[in-house]
Amino acid sequence: MTQYRKLIQYTTVLVCTFCLTDYRPRMQSINPATGEIICDYSPYGREQIARSIEKAQTCFLQWKARTFTERATLMHNAASVLRERKADLAVLMADEMGKVLRDGEAEIEKCAVCCEYYADNAESLLQDEHIQTDARMSFVTYQPLGAVLAIMPWNFPFWQVFRFAAPNLMAGNVGVLKHASNVSGCALAIEAIFRDAGFPEGCFITLLVGSDTVNDLIAHADIRAVTLTGSMEAGKAVAARAGALLKKTVLELGGSDAYVVLEDADIKAAAIECAKSRLINAGQSCIAAKRFIVASSAMSAFKKYFIAYFSAIQAGDPKDASSGIGPMARVDLREALHKQVRASLAKGANLVLGGEIPKGSGAFYPPTILDNVKPGMPAFDEELFGPVAAIIEAKDEKDAFALANASRFGLGSAIFTSDLARAETLAKTRMEAGQTFVNAFVRSDPRLPFGGIKESGYGRELGALGIREFVNAKTVYIA
């Protein structure tokens, strides 16, 4: 708790004290490892929301005129502040959503790298593009839109925000954050990072609000675009509201990522990569591997190595260095996951490992493996957002890719094979996903575009495509 209070001191006011004078329904941060209430927040009221967005709009009118060099200096400052606070921010994530400390520190470092990448490359990524026509001069210029509303999830409470904020602030936009209610401390800490890095007031603001305010936020005249990372249901609701108002959206939604292990793969290496991916963030990642589609001839060896890796990982206190994974973020999420596991078993899946809710406090769930998974089971058809792996047998290559693509989702995917020339063709043409990795698990990288297809969403974050999502690609023609 002492370290948590240290994080709060970075903000301008101890928001927990709002509850003494405000009787609106509370927003609570609850430690998922202990069930302890960390902090009790009061959501912003209408007037406070209006003032915050007005402040963002006022800032935008000045911020968009800043040079790339001026913006880059501040973004490099943000990277420095992140690194200075890395240990404290990791503790905050452990307390609010259960991430183990080493993963929390890695997440903060990744945010700093993202800030540096866009600080160093935004100007070249957004430079005017001259096009030869019959005009004296014609070109495309990329101009900022204004305030972009970001609706963000709890699973990577800093990375999800910074991969939106770094490119958009460098493009000249300003950011308005509606974070998940259970990570309000992280949301406030992010606002403080940008403020303490020297960004002008209003350039990045956090709104402590519930989901019931989202429709009104989208409708606000000064909100020019919306980005959401979250569930398919939330994405559809946001897309419908923004579409009715003709406001652009980028949606990064759920995934049921398929990893195809072909018969010629290095089976031990493939099994270890697959197991690592499934257990990222206690399995609570949109791009964590979910379905493992393995060639029949490789199945026995794959399961041996995969089960060994899972068996060695123990769930425990996220602040204990010996813990392999922490708890799930909330008890209700664990209950929903367990229900999916039980429903899959009832339909014929086999329980290989785990699958039982442990006794004691906290939202812990053991690393769990199901095999004999088939279409029609929740473990195949739905996103399992937790440490549960679904192993699926494929008769041959054609069957493997048919199974991989038999999903409403299309976020990430991977192929394991020793034939790299073949892998290049397969990755380009056979996987229905926003990204396909070969002989490695899927991860996001500031240099590469990231996003999905089908019901995993649309639009791209990161890379050159990401920084161009929320700008006006304006044609200029000089006769």
Side-chain angles (χ1 to χ4, degrees):
M1 187 63 71
T2 300
Q3 288 171 302
Y4 178 75
R5 297 295 179 185
K6 185 178 179 181
L7 253 295
I8 289 295
Q9 77 183 10
Y10 296 138
T11 67
T12 55
V13 61
L14 185 61
V15 180
C16 302
T17 62
F18 287 176
C19 59
L20 299 176
T21 58
D22 196 311
Y23 294 96
R24 291 187 297 273
R26 307 288 183 249
M27 295 165 58
Q28 291 184 330
S29 290
I30 299 174
N31 187 321
T34 65
E36 173 194 11
I37 297 175
I38 300 170
C39 205
D40 200 51
Y41 302 88
S42 181
Y44 291 3
R46 289 182 179 274
E47 289 186 6
Q48 193 172 7
I49 293 169
R51 288 196 303 270
S52 296
I53 297 178
E54 181 181 358
K55 188 182 299 181
Q57 176 63 15
T58 298
C59 179
F60 168 66
L61 297 176
Q62 301 170 356
W63 180 247
K64 68 178 182 178
R66 294 278 192 101
T67 66
F68 282 106
T69 299
E70 290 173 316
R71 296 175 200 158
T73 297
L74 299 181
M75 194 61 70
H76 275 294
N77 290 348
S80 297
V81 174
L82 281 161
R83 291 193 173 102
E84 290 167 4
R85 300 177 184 176
K86 183 187 300 185
D88 290 338
L89 297 173
V91 170
L92 179 56
M93 282 187 274
D95 284 344
E96 285 203 311
M97 50 73 60
K99 193 185 300 287
V100 294
L101 291 180
R102 61 180 174 275
D103 290 350
E105 292 196 4
E107 179 170 336
I108 297 303
E109 178 60 29
K110 190 170 184 177
C111 293
V113 169
C114 186
C115 289
E116 291 169 336
Y117 172 77
Y118 280 107
D120 294 339
N121 294 283
E123 184 171 12
S124 62
L125 294 174
L126 293 175
Q127 65 184 334
D128 293 348
E129 295 184 14
H130 288 263
I131 300 170
Q132 189 68 40
T133 67
D134 55 356
R136 186 186 306 271
M137 180 186 294
S138 50
F139 60 94
V140 177
T141 184
Y142 298 97
Q143 300 299 313
L145 294 180
V148 180
L149 172 65
I151 304 167
M152 292 289 123
W154 48 262
N155 56 334
F156 292 91
F158 284 85
W159 171 241
Q160 302 279 14
V161 176
F162 273 87
R163 76 186 193 191
F164 142 76
N168 276 286
L169 267 57
M170 283 303 303
N173 294 318
V174 296
V176 177
L177 172 64
K178 186 273 179 230
H179 217 324
S181 298
N182 60 320
V183 290
S184 293
C186 294
L188 292 170
I190 294 168
E191 183 181 61
I193 288 165
F194 284 113
R195 183 184 63 249
D196 295 347
F199 284 80
E201 186 178 11
C203 200
F204 184 94
I205 61 171
T206 286
L207 300 178
L208 291 185
V209 294
S211 298
D212 58 342
T213 67
V214 167
N215 279 345
D216 288 341
L217 292 177
I218 295 172
H220 194 289
D222 289 331
I223 296 295
R224 302 298 301 275
V226 187
T227 182
L228 173 138
T229 298
S231 69
M232 181 180 62
E233 293 74 19
K236 288 180 177 179
V238 166
R241 179 63 167 164
L245 296 163
L246 297 178
K247 296 187 180 184
K248 187 176 182 181
T249 53
V250 168
L251 304 178
E252 194 264 275
L253 309 179
S256 185
D257 289 13
Y259 280 32
V260 171
V261 181
L262 297 175
E263 69 286 341
D264 65 341
D266 179 333
I267 303 303
K268 181 178 181 181
I272 292 172
E273 284 291 289
C274 288
K276 286 180 180 178
S277 180
R278 177 66 290 223
L279 294 176
I280 290 171
N281 203 37
Q284 300 168 120
S285 170
C286 294
I287 55 167
K290 308 293 197 316
R291 297 177 297 136
F292 303 95
I293 300 167
V294 184
S296 296
S297 60
M299 180 62 79
S300 178
F302 178 88
K303 287 173 66 174
K304 179 180 73 172
Y305 296 120
F306 193 89
I307 293 168
Y309 190 98
F310 260 54
S311 298
I313 300 295
Q314 296 297 317
D317 181 350
K319 290 186 280 190
D320 185 334
S322 66
S323 297
I325 59 174
M328 294 184 64
R330 299 196 310 263
V331 170
D332 63 308
L333 298 171
R334 180 186 66 177
E335 298 300 325
L337 177 69
H338 189 59
K339 183 177 180 181
Q340 290 173 304
V341 169
R342 303 310 299 178
S344 297
L345 294 175
K347 292 192 173 186
N350 296 325
L351 182 63
V352 178
L353 185 71
E356 296 295 336
I357 294 177
K359 296 179 180 179
S361 61
F364 293 97
Y365 200 78
T368 297
I369 300 173
L370 306 176
D371 71 1
N372 196 42
V373 173
K374 301 181 184 300
M377 300 177 182
F380 189 101
D381 297 341
E382 301 173 8
E383 179 176 31
L384 270 59
F385 214 65
V388 179
I391 297 179
I392 302 155
E393 185 171 350
K395 294 178 292 186
D396 52 31
E397 181 183 301
K398 181 179 179 182
D399 186 42
F401 286 102
L403 288 165
N405 294 329
S407 173
R408 58 182 175 170
F409 298 107
L411 190 56
S413 60
I415 301 169
F416 293 86
T417 176
S418 60
D419 187 340
L420 297 186
R422 173 190 182 200
E424 183 177 348
T425 299
L426 292 173
K428 287 169 63 175
T429 64
R430 298 292 294 279
M431 281 292 209
E432 296 175 359
Q435 44 263 311
T436 298
F437 280 44
V438 175
N439 295 332
F441 64 79
V442 179
R443 66 208 77 180
S444 54
D445 184 313
R447 299 164 294 186
L448 298 172
F450 178 86
I453 61 171
K454 299 195 283 189
E455 293 191 12
S456 288
Y458 53 74
R460 291 295 179 264
E461 298 176 289
L462 303 175
L465 296 180
I467 198 171
R468 292 182 177 183
E469 282 285 2
F470 294 126
V471 292
N472 175 17
K474 179 192 291 185
T475 295
V476 176
Y477 182 101
I478 302 175

